[in-house]
Amino acid sequence: TTIHYVVDRNRKIDFVIIAALAAAVVILGYERFFIDESQAPTDAQTTSAAGGSESDRPSIAVLPFLNLSDDPQNAYFSDGLTEEILNLLVRMQVIDVAARTSSFYFKGKDVDIKTVATHLGVRNVLEGSVRREGDKIRVTAQLIKAESGFHLWSNTYDREIKEIFDIQDDIARQVVKALEIVLSSESDAIL
C-alpha cells in the first residue's frame, strides 16, 4: 500500500505540473493570437523604440575632430573644439544632436559614416580635422549626409594660436552658423 500511495502522489504531482503548463500555454497563446490590436505597437512606435527617428527635424552626430599634428597634446584642442560645436548645436533646439559620449565612442575607430549614422540614429555626420604648424592652426569641418555618404558642406578655418578657447569658440560659432544654413535649406529633403 505504501507503494500505491507514492505512485498516486507522484501522479497527482505530474497532473498538477501538466495542468500548470497547459494553463501557461493557453495564456501565452491568447496573448499572442487574440491580443487587442489597439494595444499592439504601431510601426512608428516600433521604429522609435528601435532607435529610429520619425521626426522631420534634422539630426546630426559630431565625431571627435582628428588631430593630424605630430604633437599628441593637440588632441585636447581637437576634443575641445568638438565639445564647443556640440554645445552650440544643442542650443539651437531645432536639430536632434547625438550625445557626446555616443559620438566619442567612435574616436580613433575606422568606421564608415553609414555605420556611425545607423548606430547613432542620425541623418547627418559632422567630422573634421585639426592640423598645427608652429603658431598656426588649420581646422577642416565636413558635413556628410549619411544615407548617400556625400558631402553637403565643407570649410577650412586658418587661425594663429593665441587664446585656445577664443579660437575654439570662434570656429565653433562659424561651423554651427554654416550648418544652420545648410540644414535649414535642405530641411525639405529631410536630412
Side-chain angles (χ1 to χ4, degrees):
T1 58
T2 309
I3 296 175
H4 289 297
Y5 173 74
V6 172
V7 171
D8 286 341
R9 185 172 176 231
N10 286 341
R11 285 186 184 164
K12 287 179 184 177
I13 292 172
D14 290 345
F15 179 73
V16 169
I17 292 172
I18 291 170
L21 288 173
V25 168
V26 169
I27 291 169
L28 290 173
Y30 176 79
E31 288 179 357
R32 173 81 170 121
F33 296 107
F34 298 107
I35 190 167
D36 182 10
E37 289 199 14
S38 65
Q39 294 175 353
T42 63
D43 288 342
Q45 290 169 331
T46 304
T47 302
S48 179
S53 174
E54 292 294 320
S55 172
D56 288 342
R57 291 167 41 128
S59 56
I60 190 168
V62 181
L63 295 180
F65 278 44
L66 295 174
N67 173 25
L68 298 180
S69 302
D70 291 335
D71 187 358
Q73 292 294 324
N74 288 328
Y76 294 114
F77 179 86
S78 302
D79 290 348
L81 179 60
T82 304
E83 287 272 346
E84 289 302 318
I85 293 170
L86 276 165
N87 186 38
L88 292 174
L89 283 170
V90 169
R91 289 182 185 177
M92 290 174 59
Q93 298 182 353
V94 294
I95 299 174
D96 293 331
V97 182
R100 176 199 173 278
T101 52
S102 299
S103 295
F104 270 71
Y105 170 79
F106 292 99
K107 183 175 181 175
K109 296 181 179 173
D110 189 21
V111 181
D112 67 282
I113 294 297
K114 288 182 183 182
T115 302
V116 170
T118 300
H119 184 77
L120 298 177
V122 297
R123 294 181 179 131
N124 303 287
V125 175
L126 180 73
E127 64 178 359
S129 63
V130 176
R131 291 173 280 172
R132 182 176 179 176
E133 184 178 315
D135 291 340
K136 294 186 179 183
I137 196 157
R138 173 171 284 173
V139 174
T140 302
Q142 304 164 347
L143 179 66
I144 299 146
K145 186 171 185 175
E147 182 180 39
S148 66
F150 294 123
H151 285 80
L152 293 170
W153 169 87
S154 181
N155 204 359
T156 300
Y157 304 90
D158 291 323
R159 299 289 186 276
E160 284 191 35
I161 298 281
K162 292 180 183 174
E163 286 292 323
I164 295 294
F165 295 136
D166 290 343
I167 294 170
Q168 288 173 334
D169 290 345
D170 177 44
I171 294 174
R173 277 193 302 274
Q174 289 190 33
V175 168
V176 169
K177 187 185 295 183
L179 292 179
E180 186 175 19
I181 293 168
V182 171
L183 292 174
S184 65
S185 68
E186 296 285 335
S187 62
D188 291 336
I190 307 177
L191 293 177

